[in-house]
C-alpha cells in the first residue's frame, strides 16, 4: 500500500509540474472569426512565430460573438495562460473580456482591431485611416475627381471599420467625389453581394466602390458582374482571394495589410512582455496598394 501511495503521489506531482510547465510556456490568441481568410492568415502567422520561439499557442474562435469572446477569455484565465492576444469582435464589447484578464494579471495585446477600454500592453495593427485614404485617392486617380462612389462598411463598432471609413471620408471631403451611399455589409462576402445589389438598383450611375475588406469587395464584384455595369472596385486587406481577383483584372485594387506579420508581431511582442522587456504601446504594420 505504501508503494502504491508513493506511486500515486509521484504521478500527481509529475502531473502538477507538467501543467505548471505547460502554463509557463503557453499563450493564447482569441480571434474574432476564423470564417474570414484574413484572420486565418493572422492566426497562421502567430502559430508559426510561437513555434519558432518555443511557446504553445492556444487558438480560440469567438465566431463574431462578444459573449463567446468573453467566455473564451474566462476559460483562458482558468487555464493559466501567460499572455492573451485578442482580435476583438467589437472595440467596446471586448473591454469586459480584457478586464477579466487584467484582474488575473495576464497581459493583453490587441491585434488589427483596438479596444476602447481595459488595459492593453500593446496594439499591433495597420494604419487603417491611412489605408482608407489610400483607397479614396486611388479611385480619384483612376476614375477622376468627380467620381460617383459607394462605400461598403464593415461591422459597426469595430475600430477597423471606423478608421477605414474615416480615412476614406478624408479623401472624399478633400475632393469633388460624390458619395452616393455608404452602408454596412459586416465584412461578409454574401452580405456584400446582397447590399451591393440593392445599392446598384438605387444608384445606377455609380462608377466606383470602396469596400472596407476584400470579402465585401468580392461580394460586390459578383453583384456588379451580374448587372453588366463597369464599376471600379477597391478592397482592403490583401487576402489571397482579393489579390487573385486583382491579378485577374476583376478588382481594381486592394489595400494590402500583412495579417501574417500582425500575428507574428503579436506573439513576438508578448514574448518580450513575458521577459520583462519594455514594448511600444502601438506597433504599426505597413500597408501598400496592390494593383495588377
Amino acid at each position: 500500500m505504501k508503494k502504491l501511495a508513493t506511486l500515486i503521489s509521484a504521478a500527481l506531482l509529475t502531473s502538477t509540474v507538467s501543467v505548471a510547465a505547460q502554463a509557463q510556456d503557453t499563450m493564447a490568441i482569441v480571434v474574432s472569426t476564423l470564417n474570414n481568410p484574413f484572420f486565418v492568415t493572422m492566426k497562421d502567422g502567430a502559430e508559426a512565430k510561437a513555434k519558432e520561439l518555443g511557446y504553445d499557442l492556444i487558438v480560440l474562435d469567438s465566431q463574431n460573438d462578444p459573449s463567446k469572446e468573453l467566455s473564451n477569455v474566462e476559460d483562458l484565465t482558468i487555464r493559466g495562460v501567460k499572455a492573451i492576444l485578442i482580435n476583438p469582435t467589437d472595440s467596446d464589447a471586448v473591454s469586459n473580456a480584457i478586464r477579466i484578464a487584467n484582474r488575473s494579471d495576464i497581459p493583453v495585446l490587441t491585434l488589427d482591431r483596438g479596444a476602447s477600454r481595459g488595459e492593453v500592453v500593446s496594439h499591433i495593427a495597420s494604419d487603417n485611416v491611412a489605408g482608407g485614404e489610400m483607397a479614396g485617392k486611388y479611385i480619384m486617380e483612376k476614375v477622376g475627381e468627380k467620381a460617383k462612389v459607394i462605400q461598403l462598411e464593415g461591422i459597426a463598432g469595430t475600430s477597423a471599420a471606423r478608421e477605414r471609413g474615416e480615412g476614406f471620408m478624408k479623401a472624399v471631403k478633400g475632393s469633388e467625389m460624390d458619395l452616393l451611399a455608404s452602408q454596412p455589409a459586416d465584412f461578409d462576402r454574401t452580405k456584400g453581394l446582397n447590399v451591393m445589389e440593392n445599392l446598384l438598383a438605387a444608384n445606377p450611375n455609380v462608377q466606383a466602390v470602396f469596400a472596407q475588406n476584400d470579402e465585401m469587395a468580392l461580394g460586390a464584384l459578383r453583384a456588379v458582374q451580374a448587372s453588366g455595369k463597369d464599376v471600379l472596385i477597391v478592397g482592403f486587406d490583401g487576402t489571397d482571394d482579393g489579390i487573385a481577383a486583382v491579378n485577374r483584372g476583376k478588382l481594381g485594387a486592394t489595400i494590402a495589410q500583412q495579417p501574417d506579420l500582425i500575428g507574428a508581431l503579436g506573439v513576438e511582442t508578448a514574448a518580450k512582455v513575458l521577459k520583462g522587456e519594455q514594448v511600444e504601446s502601438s506597433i504599426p504594420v505597413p500597408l501598400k496598394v496592390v494593383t495588377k
Side-chain angles (χ1 to χ4, degrees):
M1 289 298 290
K2 279 186 178 180
K3 186 174 181 181
L4 179 60
T6 301
L7 287 171
I8 292 171
S9 178
L12 287 172
L13 179 61
T14 301
S15 174
T16 302
V17 170
S18 175
V19 170
Q22 184 181 28
Q24 184 66 32
D25 297 325
T26 301
M27 57 178 72
I29 179 169
V30 181
V31 185
S32 60
T33 174
L34 289 174
N35 283 331
N36 186 320
F38 178 84
F39 297 123
V40 173
T41 303
M42 186 176 70
K43 181 265 298 180
D44 291 345
E47 286 180 321
K49 181 58 70 171
K51 184 176 181 181
E52 177 190 325
L53 297 179
Y55 285 91
D56 290 328
L57 184 70
I58 297 170
V59 179
L60 296 178
D61 183 357
S62 299
Q63 301 167 5
N64 274 331
D65 181 353
S67 62
K68 175 69 173 171
E69 180 177 69
L70 183 64
S71 65
N72 280 340
V73 173
E74 287 174 332
D75 175 50
L76 292 171
T77 61
I78 293 168
R79 292 164 77 168
V81 299
K82 297 305 174 186
I84 297 175
L85 314 175
I86 189 162
N87 161 239
T89 58
D90 179 279
S91 297
D92 289 329
V94 75
S95 302
N96 293 324
I98 291 173
R99 284 168 176 158
I100 287 173
N102 292 161
R103 287 197 291 269
S104 297
D105 293 323
I106 300 172
V108 176
L109 299 86
T110 50
L111 306 180
D112 184 58
R113 300 171 179 171
S116 56
R117 293 179 298 277
E119 185 181 336
V120 174
V121 294
S122 189
H123 175 56
I124 297 98
S126 303
D127 187 337
N128 284 306
V129 176
E133 192 168 9
M134 288 164 70
K137 288 180 177 178
Y138 179 81
I139 289 171
M140 280 189 286
E141 178 187 323
K142 294 299 177 182
V143 181
E145 281 275 338
K146 297 183 179 181
K148 298 182 184 299
V149 298
I150 284 173
Q151 177 178 218
L152 295 183
E153 304 166 17
I155 297 172
T158 61
S159 58
R162 183 175 63 252
E163 291 164 5
R164 292 172 193 183
E166 179 186 337
F168 184 66
M169 290 310 297
K170 275 188 178 182
V172 169
K173 291 175 181 177
S175 70
E176 295 181 68
M177 276 198 292
D178 182 7
L179 183 63
L180 302 175
S182 185
Q183 189 170 322
D186 298 343
F187 291 135
D188 183 81
R189 190 179 301 199
T190 301
K191 289 182 180 179
L193 165 64
N194 295 335
V195 171
M196 195 66 217
E197 284 177 337
N198 293 332
L199 291 178
L200 278 171
N203 303 278
N205 58 339
V206 61
Q207 296 172 293
V209 175
F210 168 52
Q212 290 180 359
N213 81 337
D214 286 343
E215 287 295 286
M216 293 188 297
L218 292 167
L221 173 62
R222 287 177 57 192
V224 168
Q225 288 174 327
S227 74
K229 295 181 182 296
D230 182 17
V231 179
L232 175 73
I233 302 173
V234 178
F236 200 119
D237 280 344
T239 62
D240 290 344
D241 285 352
I243 291 173
V246 169
N247 290 335
R248 292 197 308 271
K250 302 300 183 182
L251 291 185
T254 178
I255 310 301
Q257 298 192 81
Q258 300 181 67
D260 54 339
L261 182 56
I262 292 174
L265 282 174
V267 169
E268 193 174 281
T269 306
K272 289 179 179 177
V273 171
L274 295 179
K275 291 174 184 174
E277 298 178 24
Q278 290 293 315
V279 299
E280 295 293 326
S281 60
S282 180
I283 299 175
V285 179
L287 289 165
K288 61 181 179 179
V289 180
V290 175
T291 60
K292 187 175 180 183

